[in-house]
Amino acid sequence: MRKLNILKTLIDLAFFLSIIGLFGAVIFATMFAFDSEGGIPIKLQGQELTSDIPEAKIVIGFAAISYLLFVYALFLLRKVIGFFKKRDLFNVQNIRYFNTIGVCLILSTLLAEVPFFIFNMIQRNHLGLQMEDGGFDTPLLSIALGLFFMVLSEAFKIAKGFKEENELTV
């Protein structure tokens, strides 16, 4: 139970810091979207984007939506941990939340990576993928975590069925 309390504390901290970052991201993305002079440079994935390029505004918009989905996944994970603390593991909401967390993580990754890839291909005539040296923020790991949550949802669905079947036989 202590591990669950530590996990809940860490997820709560990450969520609340992400909420602060979300407000900043929304304000900054709005300023970036309406700046026509190119005065606001943003460094995204190691490359500088300026607001005088319309495609850069689209990339930043997708990045903001990606961040919003990630924060929503953290919100749902907080709810799941709350159910775990109540020892309510195999309910329909947990199953739905696990699946939604997985979808949010995958969509968040794709919405952050694909527009930037297309932007580099069109605007900078650069075709390629950049993979870091195995950090925790790589797209492959994010997609794998999303798929893990979706598989976990299916496992909980099967376990819920077994639990209901077991309760009927007693």
Side-chain angles (χ1 to χ4, degrees):
M1 196 65 160
R2 183 175 173 165
K3 293 175 191 171
L4 189 60
N5 288 331
I6 293 171
L7 177 63
K8 173 108 172 88
T9 303
L10 290 175
I11 294 297
D12 285 345
L13 180 65
F15 176 71
F16 290 120
L17 291 175
S18 295
I19 290 293
I20 294 169
L22 183 64
F23 285 128
V26 167
I27 291 168
F28 201 67
T30 304
M31 288 174 37
F32 190 84
F34 292 111
D35 181 37
S36 60
E37 299 173 9
I40 303 176
I42 292 181
K43 195 166 194 173
L44 185 67
Q45 296 183 6
Q47 296 182 20
E48 190 172 293
L49 303 173
T50 56
S51 58
D52 59 345
I53 302 170
E55 293 86 2
K57 293 180 181 185
I58 294 170
V59 169
I60 294 299
F62 277 112
I65 293 169
S66 168
Y67 189 66
L68 180 67
L69 285 170
F70 181 77
V71 172
Y72 183 63
L74 282 177
F75 171 74
L76 293 178
L77 187 56
R78 288 179 69 232
K79 285 185 155 200
V80 168
I81 293 171
F83 281 120
F84 281 11
K85 283 187 80 166
K86 295 176 190 173
R87 299 190 185 275
D88 187 12
L89 302 176
F90 301 111
N91 65 23
V92 177
Q93 294 220 319
N94 278 346
I95 294 167
R96 192 175 315 126
Y97 289 159
F98 277 136
N99 192 50
T100 305
I101 290 168
V103 170
C104 284
L105 288 176
I106 291 171
L107 281 177
S108 174
T109 302
L110 293 177
L111 286 175
E113 297 295 326
V114 171
F116 196 72
F117 176 78
I118 293 171
F119 174 79
N120 278 333
M121 190 172 62
I122 293 171
Q123 191 68 27
R124 298 200 169 122
N125 294 326
H126 179 270
L127 183 63
L129 293 173
Q130 179 180 353
M131 298 304 267
E132 289 87 28
D133 55 347
F136 287 108
D137 60 346
T138 60
L140 290 177
L141 181 62
S142 297
I143 290 173
L145 281 173
L147 289 171
F148 172 75
F149 276 105
M150 294 170 83
V151 168
L152 198 59
S153 169
E154 291 296 319
F156 269 65
K157 188 185 295 182
I158 292 168
K160 182 180 184 303
F162 285 149
K163 181 183 175 204
E164 289 173 354
E165 184 179 312
N166 190 26
E167 288 172 356
L168 289 175
T169 57
V170 172

